[in-house]
């Protein structure tokens, strides 16, 4: 794959997250895709991403992801991003607070020759997000 094809695939993934069109993951994510940093309870492949981002969008209906920096090779992308939104639904057992959050993260994505996500490594400042919401971790 070319760098541009990988950027196009990652852009489609991001658009699916922001729009809530999670069926797009069926075309973007390989069935045997591995997430090296899964969310608690996240399953494998496209369905795992559908579940994880479905919960995140339920908690933050106006969820937005803004890519701030991107590096690409022929099969990998690394990018830094900011997630923002308003806490309007349940999150980790906590009811909506109505508070706005903005927190950073980084991700590395690896793609196969068909432009499908096959591996992901990532980290976001979830503790910072919980602190902005006034929630504590037990």
């Amino acid at each position: 794959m070319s760098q541009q094809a990988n950027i196009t695939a990652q852009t489609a993934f991001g658009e699916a997250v922001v729009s809530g069109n999670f069926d797009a993951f069926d075309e973007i994510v390989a069935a045997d895709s591995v997430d090296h940093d899964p969310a608690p309870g996240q399953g494998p492949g496209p369905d795992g991403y559908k579940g994880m981002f479905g919960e995140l969008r339920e908690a933050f209906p106006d969820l937005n992801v803004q890519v701030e920096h991107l590096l690409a090779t022929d099969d990998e992308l690394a990018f830094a991003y900011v997630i923002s939104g308003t806490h309007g639904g349940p999150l980790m057992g906590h009811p909506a607070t109505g508070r706005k959050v903005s927190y950073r993260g980084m991700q590395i994505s690896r793609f196969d020759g068909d432009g499908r996500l096959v591996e992901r490594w990532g980290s976001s400042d979830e503790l910072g997000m919980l602190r902005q919401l006034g929630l504590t971790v037990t």
Side-chain angles (χ1 to χ4, degrees):
M1 292 296 295
S2 71
Q3 292 179 10
Q4 187 56 51
N6 293 334
I7 292 169
T8 299
Q10 186 64 56
T11 299
F13 186 98
E15 289 171 355
V17 169
V18 172
S19 71
N21 178 21
F22 302 139
D23 288 339
F25 293 152
D26 293 331
E27 296 299 319
I28 302 166
V29 178
D32 59 350
S33 178
V34 176
D35 190 336
H36 295 282
D37 300 297
Q42 179 182 339
D47 288 338
Y49 289 106
K50 289 176 186 180
M52 177 191 48
F53 286 112
E55 289 180 16
L56 191 59
R57 283 194 48 82
E58 182 180 358
F60 299 98
D62 61 346
L63 179 75
N64 189 43
V65 181
Q66 180 66 43
V67 174
E68 291 193 325
H69 189 74
L70 174 73
L71 297 172
T73 69
D74 288 342
D75 64 348
E76 293 180 319
L77 293 177
F79 57 98
Y81 57 87
V82 174
I83 296 175
S84 60
T86 307
H87 186 206
L91 176 69
M92 296 185 232
H94 297 281
T97 64
R99 293 183 179 182
K100 293 186 180 299
V101 298
S102 179
Y103 59 102
R104 295 185 176 280
M106 300 183 91
Q107 180 171 312
I108 300 170
S109 300
R110 188 171 71 79
F111 297 89
D112 66 12
D114 294 323
R116 291 190 178 203
L117 179 67
V118 293
E119 284 186 281
R120 176 199 167 273
W121 297 262
S123 180
S124 59
D125 185 12
E126 292 176 4
L127 182 57
M129 177 260 301
L130 291 171
R131 286 182 175 149
Q132 291 175 52
L133 296 175
L135 304 175
T136 58
V137 179
T138 57

